[in-house]
Amino acid sequence: MITIEDIQAAAARINVHRTPILTNSTLNAIASEHCGVPVELFFKCELLQKTGSFKIRGATNAVQLLSDTQASKGVVTHSSGNHAQALALAARQRGITAHVVMPRTSPEVKKAAVHGYGAHVVECEPTQAAREATSKQIMEETGATFVHPYNHPHVMAGQGTIALEALAQTAEQKTPLDCLIVPVGGGGMLSGCSVATKSLSPHVKVFAAEPEAVNDTYRSFKSKSPQTNDPSKPSSVADGLLTNLGEIAFQVVMQHVDDVFVVTEEMIVRAMHLVWGRMKLCIEPSAAVGLAVALYNPEFAKAVKDQNLRRIGIVLCGGNVDFARAVSLFQSYGL
């Protein structure tokens, strides 16, 4: 389990951008109509972070905490893209080798970026088993330290710095948040942000946002027992959120997260299109899931009214998107 002290130490250790908090009157109006009460949305723009996503926070914290002996043998991970880029850059900044196992189906823009940061990329089949087996083989051959993309306390602590910043920035603007919506896949970001939020502002609600097509966190939360997704079932356009909730994250979620909301594929794409068009921010599908909850989920609208939530923070977690794929997604829903 991670503590607020771990997160605060990470904030002092890592060298990343303090990404902006942005607002948009059009999206406020749409969300207000959906919720039935006036609300304001505050977007934490992690797509403007180094490597194009929040992942550099956790990767940098984990790499910086390696001993010199560990660092000399390099690091290894498996990732669909954003953690891959983050670990590659974090390793380069420390002057060590990074081995990154990526599914062959990862977006080409993400593969190219990992290569660009100097990492050694090894492709594998797009299954969790293949990712883990390939990573294990590299570890045995090189002695490299495995840095898990989400189920790692140092990674979680680094991701928690998102909430530290968001709470501080909205307080500085005299617009303190009533709740924070965080996209969830493996749960590293959700875990860190929930610990930070509940430690510093216990009254602020923390909600997880998840694609309905891969809703293991929703089912885990509601049943109070770990659930997994069926790999044979249809996947989601939110390729950064396809992993199952990690073991450590499950414990944190049950302790600190107030609720989990799911959205359909169409809702995700429509929210993404709105951000591109109205905010001029090229977010990836995974980053649109939180906004989709605020704009379209009826259970969230009920929570807003019942719990008097008016200022809603939303983490736009990344912007590493294949532009041709994005345009195709928009066209598929007539946008």
Side-chain angles (χ1 to χ4, degrees), residues 176-252:
L177 298 178
D178 295 317
C179 67
L180 181 66
I181 305 177
V182 185
V184 60
M189 174 171 54
L190 177 62
S191 297
C193 287
S194 65
V195 170
T197 302
K198 293 301 184 178
S199 298
L200 299 177
S201 301
H203 65 284
V204 175
K205 302 294 183 181
V206 177
F207 299 128
E210 186 174 43
E212 189 177 65
V214 284
N215 64 350
D216 61 291
T217 300
Y218 176 83
R219 289 181 286 113
S220 297
F221 184 82
K222 297 301 182 182
S223 67
K224 300 182 180 178
S225 64
Q227 306 291 314
T228 59
N229 293 306
D230 183 348
S232 67
K233 296 275 182 73
S235 191
S236 172
V237 295
D239 61 278
L241 307 179
L242 302 184
T243 48
N244 291 306
L245 188 68
E247 296 173 6
I248 304 174
F250 171 74
Q251 300 173 48
V252 178

Side-chain angles (χ1 to χ4, degrees), residues 37-324:
V37 291
V39 298
E40 295 177 274
L41 307 180
F42 297 86
F43 298 96
K44 181 62 171 164
C45 296
E46 287 294 290
L47 75 157
L48 303 178
Q49 186 55 264
K50 294 179 180 180
T51 73
S53 88
F54 73 97
K55 290 283 191 177
I56 190 63
R57 296 174 181 269
T60 300
N61 193 46
V63 168
Q64 290 299 319
L65 284 170
L66 293 174
S67 69
D68 289 341
T69 300
Q70 290 174 312
S72 68
K73 296 179 180 178
V75 289
V76 61
T77 196
H78 56 75
S79 167
S80 63
N82 286 342
H83 178 67
Q85 294 175 62
L87 190 68
L89 178 58
R92 189 177 77 178
Q93 289 174 334
R94 188 162 176 182
I96 65 177
T97 302
H99 306 274
V100 179
V101 177
M102 300 184 71
R104 58 176 176 76
T105 54
S106 295
E108 288 301 321
V109 65
K110 295 184 178 182
K111 292 179 187 176
V114 177
H115 279 294
Y117 290 124
H120 177 224
V121 176
V122 180
E123 294 190 20
C124 70
E125 289 302 303
T127 67
Q128 190 71 13
R131 288 161 61 140
E132 292 174 355
T134 307
S135 298
K136 183 178 179 181
Q137 181 181 351
I138 294 171
M139 290 169 61
E140 292 172 349
E141 293 174 353
T142 65
T145 297
F146 183 69
V147 180
H148 199 283
Y150 51 88
N151 200 44
H152 188 302
H154 297 162
V155 170
M156 292 176 173
Q159 319 304 29
T161 61
I162 299 168
L164 283 188
E165 290 181 9
L167 292 171
Q169 288 167 297
T170 50
E172 290 164 7
Q173 297 171 6
K174 302 191 186 308
T175 53
L177 298 178
D178 295 317
C179 67
L180 181 66
I181 305 177
V182 185
V184 60
M189 174 171 54
L190 177 62
S191 297
C193 287
S194 65
V195 170
T197 302
K198 293 301 184 178
S199 298
L200 299 177
S201 301
H203 65 284
V204 175
K205 302 294 183 181
V206 177
F207 299 128
E210 186 174 43
E212 189 177 65
V214 284
N215 64 350
D216 61 291
T217 300
Y218 176 83
R219 289 181 286 113
S220 297
F221 184 82
K222 297 301 182 182
S223 67
K224 300 182 180 178
S225 64
Q227 306 291 314
T228 59
N229 293 306
D230 183 348
S232 67
K233 296 275 182 73
S235 191
S236 172
V237 295
D239 61 278
L241 307 179
L242 302 184
T243 48
N244 291 306
L245 188 68
E247 296 173 6
I248 304 174
F250 171 74
Q251 300 173 48
V252 178
V253 166
M254 296 310 301
Q255 183 175 349
H256 294 298
V257 172
D258 293 286
D259 211 341
V260 182
F261 300 103
V262 297
V263 286
T264 67
E265 297 298 285
E266 181 173 355
M267 291 174 183
I268 295 169
V269 175
R270 287 188 176 279
M272 178 181 169
H273 185 262
L274 280 169
V275 173
W276 279 46
R278 298 295 184 170
M279 298 186 72
K280 315 307 177 188
L281 295 174
C282 295
I283 60 170
E284 59 187 272
S286 299
V289 177
L291 175 59
V293 166
L295 297 184
Y296 307 122
N297 184 284
E299 287 80 16
F300 177 77
K302 184 176 186 302
V304 166
K305 281 200 243 183
D306 292 348
Q307 300 174 41
N308 196 33
L309 308 176
R310 297 296 180 265
R311 294 181 178 136
I312 301 165
I314 298 174
V315 180
L316 298 181
C317 55
N320 292 313
V321 62
D322 183 313
F323 297 124

